[in-house]
Amino acid sequence: MSSEDEKTLEKFINAQKIPYAIGVDAGEKSTKTYQIDAYPTTYLIGPTGKVMANSSPQAVEEAIKDARLYFQQELTGKLKSYKTTLAKKQYGKAFKDLEKLLPQLAGTAEEASAQNLKKDLEDFAKSYQDEADSALKEQDLVTVIQALQQIQTLYKDSPFEKQASDQLKELQKNEETKNLFKGSLVLISAQQLIMDDKEDKAKSLLESVSKSFPNTALAKQAQAMLAMISKKK
């Protein structure tokens, strides 16, 4: 959504080769209605019109992932209790319980549903792991840390949590990434401060990261966030 006129917007879309649709917000009606004061701001609106999530594109993507996992299938019989576990985002507990339950369901009508749910949980954990692995290749340790910490939170006491924890420990041992790891944690703290409307405190942290890690993806992320704060003001 943009408040620019159609011709200006069309030139921008063509120049940037943007593949998705952008609506014209004449008179900034939508901007004011949704109280947008920073860019980019993304909203996820459910089929009933309810706002399911609003924040950064990443936060909305997490909401989409959760919705896909939770609503993918109807849970009945012995699987019905898993609705509560999934709603609480206790995916590690659900996975371990399913491993114990599956032998009891062998040859029953519920076996296929249980197998599908187990695969959903595995795929969901893998989506975070793939995100971390891809970000690591780009030296984007902020995304790596956040993705692995999500696995730790969602999949407590499971093999997925152990793998994520081991990878985080390894990053802190590696001489090449040790300092970048510390800087990434500072950047994550700054992100939280911005979300809490404490931009002044976040600004000092971001300036520190930008100076301490020149010519890195970390510095570029810090500079982009500083630019966002300046634009917001």
Side-chain angles (χ1 to χ4, degrees):
M1 188 71 70
S2 172
S3 59
E4 299 286 353
D5 61 83
E6 289 186 31
K7 289 185 178 180
T8 302
L9 188 56
E10 186 176 356
K11 288 181 181 178
F12 176 77
I13 292 172
N14 292 335
Q16 300 297 321
K17 298 181 180 179
I18 296 175
Y20 49 82
I22 297 181
V24 176
D25 184 17
E28 298 189 348
K29 292 181 180 179
S30 295
T31 300
K32 293 174 183 176
T33 299
Y34 286 94
Q35 300 179 345
I36 296 173
D37 56 11
Y39 296 92
T41 296
T42 306
Y43 281 80
L44 174 64
I45 301 175
T48 63
K50 179 182 178 181
V51 175
M52 306 297 290
N54 71 291
S55 185
S56 65
Q58 181 182 359
V60 171
E61 181 61 28
E62 301 309 325
I64 293 173
K65 284 180 180 178
D66 283 348
R68 286 175 182 164
L69 178 65
Y70 184 64
F71 295 112
Q72 184 162 347
Q73 58 181 304
E74 181 66 25
L75 300 178
T76 58
K78 291 185 178 181
L79 297 178
K80 194 172 182 179
S81 62
Y82 284 81
K83 285 186 177 182
T84 301
T85 307
L86 294 175
K88 292 180 179 179
K89 297 186 178 181
Q90 297 174 340
Y91 301 155
K93 182 180 186 307
F95 183 82
K96 289 194 304 177
D97 288 350
L98 273 172
E99 286 193 317
K100 294 177 182 178
L101 180 63
L102 271 166
Q104 301 174 33
L105 298 179
T108 68
E110 293 179 6
E111 182 181 12
S113 294
Q115 290 284 9
N116 288 336
L117 180 57
K118 183 171 179 283
K119 185 176 187 305
D120 285 345
L121 289 162
E122 290 172 338
D123 289 346
F124 191 45
K126 187 176 183 299
S127 71
Y128 281 112
Q129 186 62 57
D130 288 345
E131 183 179 2
D133 294 342
S134 177
L136 186 59
K137 293 178 182 178
E138 302 296 328
Q139 286 294 297
D140 178 5
L141 291 188
V142 171
T143 300
V144 173
I145 293 169
Q146 289 175 326
L148 294 177
Q149 285 180 337
Q150 275 292 87
I151 295 176
Q152 288 180 312
T153 300
L154 297 172
Y155 289 87
K156 289 181 180 179
D157 302 321
S158 74
F160 307 110
E161 183 198 16
K162 184 180 184 307
Q163 181 180 350
S165 297
D166 288 346
Q167 192 169 353
L168 285 168
K169 289 177 183 177
E170 191 62 33
L171 286 171
Q172 295 175 74
K173 291 179 182 178
N174 189 308
E175 288 300 324
E176 291 183 11
T177 59
K178 187 185 295 183
N179 288 332
L180 286 174
F181 189 95
K182 293 178 181 178
S184 297
L185 292 177
V186 174
L187 195 63
I188 291 171
S189 296
Q191 287 178 330
Q192 185 59 52
L193 287 170
I194 292 174
M195 291 176 66
D196 294 338
D197 293 324
K198 297 178 180 178
E199 284 87 354
D200 290 338
K201 290 184 178 180
K203 187 176 179 181
S204 62
L205 292 179
L206 293 170
E207 288 173 343
S208 173
V209 170
S210 182
K211 291 177 182 178
S212 301
F213 301 93
N215 304 316
T216 64
L218 198 59
K220 290 180 181 178
Q221 287 173 298
Q223 290 159 10
M225 291 170 69
L226 283 167
M228 183 188 71
I229 290 174
S230 298
K231 187 173 182 180
K232 187 175 180 179
K233 289 183 177 181

